[in-house]
Amino acid sequence: MSSRTSDVLVIGGGIIGLVTAWRAAQRGLTTAVVDPEPGGGAARVAAGMLAAVTELHYGEETLLALNLESARRYPGFAAELSELTGHDLGYRRCGTLAVALDADDRAHLRELHALQQRSGLESEWLSGRDCRRLEPMLAPGVRGGLRVDGDHQIDPRRLATALVAACEHAGVVFHRTWAERLDVVRERAAGVTTADGTELRAEQVVLAGGSMSGRLAGVPDALLPPVRPVKGQVLRLAVPRRFAPFLSRTVRAVVRGSQVYLVPRENGELVVGATTEELGWDTTVTAGGVYELLRDAHELIPGLTELPLTETRAGLRPGSPDNAPLLGPSGLDGLLLATGHYRNGVLLTPVTGDVLAHALATGDLPEEARPFTPQRFTAPPPERPARLMEQSA
Ligand code: GLY
């Protein structure tokens, strides 16, 4: 079978694979991407919140540092990408308002505020009245909220399209087919065999297959990334001109324990997300999922039911055991990983491109990515002292 060679072959043309390929090509590496539909994947569904502060969770402090670093790089990244491609990315520095609808939500938000303050993050507690002053469409019952002026948004579909254009501009070659199998030659990743039997050869291979990264044939079992699909259903509505401005920033809440967020785009689109469902590879949009999102969003913004519902869609987040990405050498020579970004794929796009390209060009993983090496899931547990072993035997 014909065989084509490059310095770098990226498996997966979602935003993570594309940004890796673009940045690698900018460093002078000949780069190819294998994906039947570059620019597809979870980014076609995602709302595009850049929510390092409002999506902070207990136990995710290490991830927070990476999220903040990527948020810091976003303005320069977005400016470079849109200047190069001429594409408007819908990058909107609009801030976020997280609100509480009842006493439980309020207690939850107070806890989040305390955690944000302990983590040195900027957020301001507002009364319900002040929340409604900022966003008059909010329900009268809103009990209070957190104003986070540093959590912004980008349109992930536009981001994906611009990254395809940037890759083309940088000379990245696209193989529009599936990678069937990783080929390993003398204990080193050597490339892939595609669905039509073509062998694509490369000095280094990056597995950036999103939720599918954990099931590529040919990757040694012990090194397969522990990535699983986590379903999210998302709705898109349209805000007619006569209703504008409907919302001026992202508004979100936890309603009966479920996250709901409303992300208003400058072009009048309003994205409402998202369910979090552990259902394997299922991407069905369900009546229940749509009902719950609309019910919760309606409690927040009653006027929402007036808007045309233009799209319902489900996607699969690439979940990892600690909700953080896997970045860098896989443990098999020549194979690197860029996957497992879970809720933060859009936010982590700039930093992922930078650290992977650096690792590909120099063999060195930058400091900020070291806590996220795949080895944290594959390294054998530290040896236990002999005396302890005897006692527990
Ligand atoms: N980051 C938003 C979500 O994953 O639903």
Side-chain angles (χ1 to χ4, degrees):
M1 268 296 138
S2 74
S3 153
R4 314 221 206 117
T5 305
S6 54
D7 293 331
V8 175
L9 176 65
V10 180
I11 305 170
I15 53 175
I16 295 299
L18 291 171
V19 76
T20 300
W22 176 40
R23 291 306 200 194
Q26 280 183 320
R27 284 178 172 251
L29 298 166
T30 57
T31 303
V33 171
V34 54
D35 190 305
E37 197 193 338
R44 306 306 303 182
V45 181
M49 288 181 300
L50 308 174
V53 178
T54 39
E55 286 205 0
L56 176 62
H57 288 82
Y58 283 105
E60 293 185 3
E61 289 77 6
T62 312
L63 176 58
L64 171 67
L66 192 70
N67 285 346
L68 290 173
E69 181 53 34
S70 205
R72 194 185 64 73
R73 295 182 193 192
Y74 238 103
F77 167 81
E80 181 185 350
L81 186 56
S82 65
E83 206 163 294
L84 179 77
T85 62
H87 288 253
D88 172 5
L89 308 177
Y91 179 49
R92 198 172 168 199
R93 304 185 72 168
C94 58
T96 295
L97 183 65
V99 300
L101 287 167
D102 63 24
D104 283 352
D105 301 345
R106 198 167 183 276
H108 171 89
L109 219 49
R110 283 284 194 196
E111 286 294 319
L112 176 62
H113 190 213
L115 179 61
Q116 290 167 342
Q117 289 187 315
R118 283 200 299 281
S119 307
L121 302 172
E122 279 182 33
S123 62
E124 183 190 0
W125 183 262
L126 299 182
S127 66
R129 180 178 301 189
D130 284 341
C131 289
R132 281 191 304 282
R133 212 169 275 147
L134 275 185
E135 294 298 340
M137 296 304 285
L138 277 170
V142 163
R143 297 278 193 104
L146 276 178
R147 176 178 176 164
V148 179
D149 286 344
D151 276 2
H152 303 308
Q153 61 152 302
I154 194 163
D155 184 333
R157 292 178 178 177
R158 291 173 180 229
L159 172 64
T161 304
L163 282 169
V164 171
C167 283
E168 281 166 349
H169 185 268
V172 172
V173 173
F174 287 105
H175 300 285
R176 288 179 161 79
T177 180
W178 288 106
E180 285 274 293
R181 182 182 74 233
L182 180 78
D183 297 322
V184 179
V185 177
R186 284 189 288 279
E187 297 184 31
R188 184 181 172 87
V192 303
T193 300
T194 67
D196 63 8
T198 304
E199 291 177 353
L200 303 175
R201 291 285 163 261
E203 289 298 315
Q204 300 183 86
V205 179
V206 180
L207 176 51
S211 57
M212 293 197 286
S213 302
R215 51 184 222 178
L216 181 66
V219 179
D221 280 353
L223 301 181
L224 268 176
V227 173
R228 67 185 196 285
V230 182
K231 178 177 172 182
Q233 300 190 49
V234 174
L235 317 177
R236 282 174 163 80
L237 295 88
V239 179
R241 252 182 222 292
R242 66 181 188 282
F243 289 161
F246 192 74
L247 293 176
S248 66
R249 73 202 67 223
T250 296
V251 171
R252 57 186 303 155
V254 177
V255 182
R256 286 177 287 271
S258 300
Q259 295 275 353
V260 63
Y261 45 79
L262 295 91
V263 183
R265 305 244 192 270
E266 234 142 38
N267 64 4
E269 184 177 75
L270 181 67
V271 186
V272 178
T275 62
T276 301
E277 302 167 74
E278 299 276 358
L279 287 175
W281 301 100
D282 173 54
T283 51
T284 317
V285 174
T286 62
V290 175
Y291 165 72
E292 280 167 30
L293 286 172
L294 285 177
R295 180 196 62 196
D296 295 349
H298 173 253
E299 280 191 34
L300 272 186
I301 310 283
L304 175 115
T305 45
E306 304 289 318
L307 306 179
L309 176 63
T310 55
E311 190 183 319
T312 60
R313 202 149 164 181
L316 299 172
R317 305 174 183 89
S320 78
D322 60 4
N323 300 337
L326 289 81
L327 304 173
S330 65
L332 174 68
D333 279 350
L335 179 67
L336 291 86
L337 303 186
T339 187
H341 291 69
Y342 190 37
R343 293 187 311 261
N344 295 303
V346 181
L347 173 60
L348 290 174
T349 294
V351 78
T352 300
D354 293 346
V355 301
L356 260 292
H358 187 89
L360 289 162
T362 67
D364 219 34
L365 195 64
E367 185 68 36
E368 60 272 25
R370 290 198 191 140
F372 305 99
T373 59
Q375 274 89 349
R376 72 188 188 278
F377 299 121
T378 52
E383 290 222 342
R384 299 172 67 193
R387 266 173 59 86
L388 267 176
M389 302 267 282
E390 277 160 26
Q391 280 164 13
S392 62

